[in-house]
Amino acid sequence: MATQLAVEGVGQAGRPRSVWWALVFLALAQFMVVLDGTIVNLALPSLQIEMGINDSTRSWVVTAYALAFGAFLLLGGRIVDFWGRKRTFIVAAVGFAAASLIGGIAQQPWELIGARALQGIFAALLAPAALALLTVAFPGGKDRGTAFAIFGSITGVGAAVGVLLGGFLTEHVTWRWCFFVNVPIAIIALAGVWFLVTESNAQGSTKYDWPGVILAALGLGSLVYGFTNAEHGWDAPEAWGFIAAGGVLMALFVLVEATVKHPLLPLRVVTERNRGAAFLASFLSGAVLIGGILFINFYIQIVLGFAPFLAGLASLPMTVALIITAGLVAKNLPKLGAKIPTATGPVFMAAAMLWLTQVSAEGNYLVNMLPALLLMGVGLGMVFVPMQNLALFGVDKDDSGVASALVNASQQIGGSLGIALFSTIAVTATAGGVSPAALSSGYAAVFLWAAGVAILIVPVALLLITIDRKKFTGTEGA
């Protein structure tokens, strides 16, 4: 069995303040990782002009991070388990801060995109390390549900705060501080974990599945690249060719994982139906959250003409709605279980996106945007709280790192594919037009597709989630 995480002052009888402080610093690391996925969104127009980046390259400032993050998360999860969770966390925090500095001082587009990819690689170590440490620190009971509710809500809050903070820094300082801001956050998280958490790691073989690593990275990269190139037409070889190649590579990846002795992704982690539901929900919600919010910000800033910070403030109602909803869901999770909020939240998300299909060049924030943002916040709060807990429920401690990685990987992969697919849809719908009316038409098409993606989570939750609510929340026998 895995060595138990030791947090200073924690005994078997209860969870004193030190373990909850450890949760604060672990959640801060997760906040930074998610924050970085959206903080550059409102900075894109400014950095595009300063760096001389064309429209087709612009999306790679966001996609490079999400793709590298998703492609290397499974490897990161295994490194976390075998090399040591605390050790990996510390190295990843230092690396993430260094990559952020490189991005902040970048002078060429390739330097900026390279720094974003480097951030994604270190995030692929940091995120599963944080979640694995949390999993072992809270092995069960009501405290586990509370801890995971807090940690899960960080995903939506971090994404929304990233937009607000990115807008403020871009307008009042410089877009480069969207990278520099990670340095103090990383230092604080690192210091807290350094003093409060002792090492833990899985027992057994430490051999790595390098064929699986290569197939997963190439397969995911090929899929995202293919969807990105589809903006030139779905019949273009660089679109369907890479998409087909990505599908073949991912099929080979599954075959390898089913046959190798030490798989990168043990299929037992994903074939349990409740965890499988969580990973699918994470994938689909990532596409809606990361891909959809990008185009919400484009509409607010480019069509409605909001300045970066004002555009960030405009997204704040979604954050508030998410925090309130997450708190209510967490409080009532013992009564609700996982199925009800996971199946209901996507309905609110889809309703938000359908509302946004009415955007136009003459649109109004209070009418066209505010109701949708509130609905989106409610929907995300309902999904994120049970999703993190469900994805790690019942997983073997030796697999906690890879399971932690997979819940993050599925969301980031969904986000990178969402950005690629939605960018293609937007370009196709606008037919090359750059007027506010043409752009609004393209964004409306994106929101319609995003609504369809969101509603797919409902049957996933209804058909696959079967776990008893008392077992899920650790209240059985209470």
Side-chain angles (χ1 to χ4, degrees):
M1 297 296 291
T3 302
Q4 290 292 322
L5 169 70
V7 180
E8 298 298 335
V10 177
Q12 295 297 324
R15 308 210 188 278
R17 282 182 293 179
S18 55
V19 75
W20 292 105
W21 274 111
L23 167 63
V24 170
F25 294 109
L26 294 172
L28 183 62
Q30 174 72 3
F31 173 80
M32 178 178 66
V33 167
V34 178
L35 176 83
D36 222 61
T38 59
I39 195 170
V40 300
N41 284 5
L42 290 181
L44 284 178
S46 298
L47 70 84
Q48 181 179 7
I49 294 172
E50 182 176 331
M51 301 289 286
I53 299 175
N54 58 39
D55 288 344
S56 61
T57 305
R58 178 183 62 183
S59 64
W60 278 98
V61 178
V62 177
T63 303
Y65 176 80
L67 178 57
F69 189 13
F72 290 99
L73 260 168
L74 293 178
L75 176 61
R78 272 307 183 214
I79 292 174
V80 165
D81 283 334
F82 295 153
W83 195 49
R85 292 157 185 145
K86 178 180 177 179
R87 183 182 294 113
T88 305
F89 184 98
I90 291 170
V91 170
V94 173
F96 195 91
S100 298
L101 282 174
I102 294 172
I105 64 175
Q107 299 299 313
Q108 299 294 329
W110 68 267
E111 294 174 334
L112 179 62
I113 294 173
R116 290 290 284 166
L118 194 60
Q119 282 182 313
I121 291 172
F122 282 110
L125 293 170
L126 189 61
L131 193 51
L133 287 170
L134 182 68
T135 301
V136 184
F138 294 88
K142 294 181 179 179
D143 286 349
R144 177 189 173 96
T146 302
F148 273 78
I150 295 170
F151 199 87
S153 64
I154 288 295
T155 300
V157 173
V161 171
V163 175
L164 176 63
L165 184 59
F168 175 82
L169 293 173
T170 300
E171 183 173 350
H172 296 289
V173 190
T174 170
W175 63 265
R176 295 181 182 276
W177 266 96
C178 293
F179 294 88
F180 294 147
V181 72
N182 290 322
V183 177
I185 297 176
I187 291 173
I188 293 171
L190 187 155
V193 170
W194 181 284
F195 288 108
L196 289 174
V197 179
T198 55
E199 189 59 276
S200 71
N201 61 285
Q203 303 299 307
S205 173
T206 58
K207 293 182 178 179
Y208 294 100
D209 171 23
W210 291 112
V213 172
I214 295 171
L215 287 171
L218 291 179
L220 292 171
S222 182
L223 284 172
V224 174
Y225 187 71
F227 278 112
T228 301
N229 280 301
E231 67 182 53
H232 304 302
W234 289 100
D235 58 344
E238 61 268 27
W240 63 261
F242 278 97
I243 292 173
V248 171
L249 288 169
M250 293 311 297
L252 289 174
F253 169 74
V254 174
L255 180 62
V256 167
E257 299 311 282
T259 56
V260 297
K261 188 174 181 180
H262 305 288
L264 175 68
L265 174 60
L267 296 184
R268 61 180 177 271
V269 174
V270 295
T271 52
E272 199 282 322
R273 61 187 299 163
N274 293 284
R275 288 199 296 270
F279 297 137
L280 283 172
S282 179
F283 173 81
L284 295 170
S285 63
V288 178
L289 173 64
I290 299 173
I293 285 182
L294 179 65
F295 286 91
I296 289 175
N297 294 328
F298 283 166
Y299 177 76
I300 292 175
Q301 196 170 2
I302 297 174
V303 177
L304 296 186
F306 283 30
F309 180 53
L310 185 59
L313 284 176
S315 68
L316 192 59
M318 184 178 73
T319 307
V320 175
L322 191 154
I323 293 172
I324 294 174
T325 303
L328 292 173
V329 172
K331 182 179 180 180
N332 293 283
L333 205 57
K335 298 178 182 178
L336 296 173
K339 177 179 288 190
I340 293 175
T342 307
T344 306
V347 177
F348 285 90
M349 294 165 61
M353 288 299 166
L354 287 175
W355 188 285
L356 289 171
T357 60
Q358 305 303 309
V359 295
S360 66
E362 298 79 25
N364 178 280
Y365 170 78
L366 292 177
V367 174
N368 294 102
M369 303 302 299
L370 182 58
L373 292 171
L374 292 172
L375 287 170
M376 179 63 84
V378 171
L380 291 173
M382 296 182 76
V383 172
F384 284 146
V385 169
M387 188 174 64
Q388 293 271 12
N389 203 336
L390 191 63
L392 289 158
F393 181 84
V395 72
D396 187 272
K397 290 184 176 64
D398 286 0
D399 291 330
S400 62
V402 72
S404 304
L406 189 57
V407 69
N408 283 286
S410 55
Q411 187 170 77
Q412 291 300 320
I413 293 166
S416 59
L417 288 175
I419 291 172
L421 177 61
F422 294 159
S423 296
T424 298
I425 292 169
V427 169
T428 302
T430 57
V434 295
S435 67
L439 292 174
S440 297
S441 176
Y443 300 155
V446 166
F447 298 140
L448 181 62
W449 276 80
V453 173
I455 209 67
L456 289 176
I457 303 173
V458 176
V460 168
L462 293 177
L463 295 175
L464 295 183
I465 297 178
T466 59
I467 190 170
D468 179 83
R469 63 179 178 81
K470 290 186 177 180
K471 290 182 179 180
F472 172 64
T473 55
T475 58
E476 188 173 37

